[in-house]
Amino acid sequence: MERALKSLVLIRAKHLAESVTTPMFIIDNDGNMIFFNEAAEVKVGRAFADVGQIPVAEWQEQFKVRELDDTPAPLESMPGWFQLQKERPGLGELMFTTFDGRDLRIAVCALPLFSGEDQFEGALVLFWEDGEG
């Protein structure tokens, strides 16, 4: 599923993600996780180079994404998916299991990326560990 970063907006988002210490994922306009930065690598327990791009159908399952009450999180409730469907920012909290087996409670902010007034390209998804729980 290796999809090249063909959009200038996604390329610039990747450069931003590579230059900051805030954990970030980049999701394309189909919902596929096409990149995560070094700070996210620390949180998820594996390097992006070892994982590669993750299709939308797989990343929810791979990370065992859950609501805060530990029930499976439907894709529609996830901030990143919400903003993909609505092309608007999304905020939320959820839990997921890292590649090395740790459970993390995180706060998420998903920001839509546009290359023109109405040309939706994908999303930048920032997350951080939530100290609650």
Side-chain angles (χ1 to χ4, degrees), residues 78-91:
M78 299 172 69
W81 189 255
F82 171 81
Q83 72 73 223
L84 284 169
Q85 299 304 302
K86 306 291 185 191
E87 296 179 5
R88 295 183 14 215
L91 299 169

Side-chain angles (χ1 to χ4, degrees), residues 61-76:
E61 184 178 314
Q62 281 190 0
F63 290 113
K64 297 175 184 69
V65 181
R66 303 177 305 283
E67 301 287 352
L68 296 182
D69 66 2
D70 214 31
T71 59
L75 194 58
E76 306 79 40

Side-chain angles (χ1 to χ4, degrees), residues 4 25 39 42-43 46 95-96 101-103 109 116:
F25 297 120
V42 172
K43 297 295 183 190
R46 198 163 287 162
M95 295 183 63
F96 77 96
R102 294 175 293 122
D103 288 329
C109 176

Side-chain angles (χ1 to χ4, degrees), residues 16-129:
L16 170 66
E18 290 173 327
S19 65
V20 299
T21 59
T22 303
M24 295 183 191
F25 297 120
I26 298 174
I27 298 173
D28 69 14
N29 58 3
D30 293 323
N32 302 306
M33 187 181 300
I34 58 172
F35 180 74
F36 53 88
N37 67 0
E38 190 174 325
E41 291 176 347
V42 172
K43 297 295 183 190
V44 302
R46 198 163 287 162
F48 178 76
D50 296 335
V51 175
Q53 298 179 9
I54 305 172
V56 66
E58 294 177 20
W59 60 260
Q60 184 181 18
E61 184 178 314
Q62 281 190 0
F63 290 113
K64 297 175 184 69
V65 181
R66 303 177 305 283
E67 301 287 352
L68 296 182
D69 66 2
D70 214 31
T71 59
L75 194 58
E76 306 79 40
S77 75
M78 299 172 69
W81 189 255
F82 171 81
Q83 72 73 223
L84 284 169
Q85 299 304 302
K86 306 291 185 191
E87 296 179 5
R88 295 183 14 215
L91 299 169
E93 294 180 289
L94 49 86
M95 295 183 63
F96 77 96
T97 302
T98 64
F99 285 112
D100 55 3
R102 294 175 293 122
D103 288 329
L104 292 183
R105 177 179 171 151
I106 61 169
V108 179
C109 176
L111 305 170
L113 299 171
F114 295 91
S115 60
E117 192 171 309
D118 61 356
Q119 183 58 45
F120 178 69
E121 299 288 344
L124 190 60
V125 180
L126 294 74
F127 70 96
W128 54 96
E129 279 188 78

